[in-house]
Amino acid sequence: MLPLSFVSRISSLQGTSLLGQMGLLCLVAALVVHFAVDAAAAPALTLGRLALARASPAAASASAIVMSAFSCQVNVPPLYRELRVRTPARMRSVAARAVGICLLCYLLVGLAGAADFPRHTQGNIMRHYCLADPAASAHGARPPRVMVPAFAAIMVTVLVAYPISVFPTRLALDSLCFGRMGERHRTARHVGLTLA
């Protein structure tokens, strides 16, 4: 991902961002399909045991995860600067669509995971799925073999997300450390901060 981390415009990452989004959608679809097959085969073990809300210390600590799930604000200034039509209304529209898509994906993954594994949901939903035997199920059913491609898709998503994280980090460090330099040594700073 290092070559992609060197881009100077965030819009240059739109292709890899789309690839990452497709990977995420593949994972969401796989989890929903896996749940649907398990729920059809063993409804008493899935939907029958589902509790949508439980008061516990773990539920309170989950609020930090929920808040960080929507922490894309570091990319807002560069995105706004690169919009063709720069208006607050246009930025609100872009942000609303992005957060809406994220919310829908998170809800589908959360509900499918909680309903598929209601009594023993782990922090990382992917730990419930066995790659050594993709046909194995916690409920004795034979779910579709959708999890192997889903693992590959989420791996691609994580990989292509790295340059998107590098961009605002480099921008913030450049502004913080070299803000008074203006355009002097811009290329050297860009390369050095990216490598750092």
Side-chain angles (χ1 to χ4, degrees):
M1 293 286 89
L2 187 61
L4 288 173
S5 297
F6 280 106
V7 299
S8 58
R9 294 178 53 87
I10 200 162
S11 60
S12 301
L13 297 172
Q14 63 188 350
T16 55
S17 293
L18 182 62
L19 182 64
Q21 291 168 5
M22 291 296 124
L24 179 61
L25 292 175
C26 177
L27 172 70
V28 171
L31 293 176
V32 170
V33 166
H34 193 283
F35 156 70
V37 170
D38 274 359
L45 297 175
T46 55
L47 292 171
R49 293 185 179 180
L50 181 63
L52 287 180
R54 242 180 281 155
S56 73
S61 70
S63 65
I65 295 170
V66 172
M67 284 187 255
S68 69
F70 295 100
S71 63
C72 56
Q73 71 272 11
V74 295
N75 283 320
V76 170
L79 285 171
Y80 182 77
R81 190 172 44 246
E82 293 183 26
L83 283 176
R84 287 186 192 119
V85 178
R86 278 185 220 121
T87 64
R90 176 76 172 149
M91 191 65 221
R92 275 193 300 277
S93 172
V94 169
R97 284 186 302 214
V99 170
I101 290 168
C102 287
L103 180 61
L104 179 64
C105 289
Y106 291 147
L107 283 173
L108 287 172
V109 167
L111 291 173
D116 207 0
F117 305 99
R119 291 288 182 234
H120 53 337
T121 301
Q122 298 180 27
N124 181 350
I125 191 71
M126 301 303 284
R127 291 183 181 207
H128 290 289
Y129 305 98
C130 179
L131 283 185
D133 183 11
S137 170
H139 310 298
R142 295 207 33 97
R145 296 177 179 263
V146 296
M147 295 317 296
V148 172
F151 268 79
I154 201 64
M155 177 190 69
V156 168
T157 299
V158 170
L159 281 174
V160 298
Y162 183 78
I164 294 169
S165 299
V166 167
F167 193 90
T169 305
R170 182 184 56 231
L171 195 63
L173 286 172
D174 187 56
S175 179
L176 182 67
C177 300
F178 307 107
R180 295 178 188 223
M181 291 182 73
E183 292 298 313
R184 286 183 292 145
H185 310 292
R186 187 156 198 64
T187 303
R189 291 179 356 225
H190 182 88
V191 170
L193 289 171
T194 302
L195 291 173

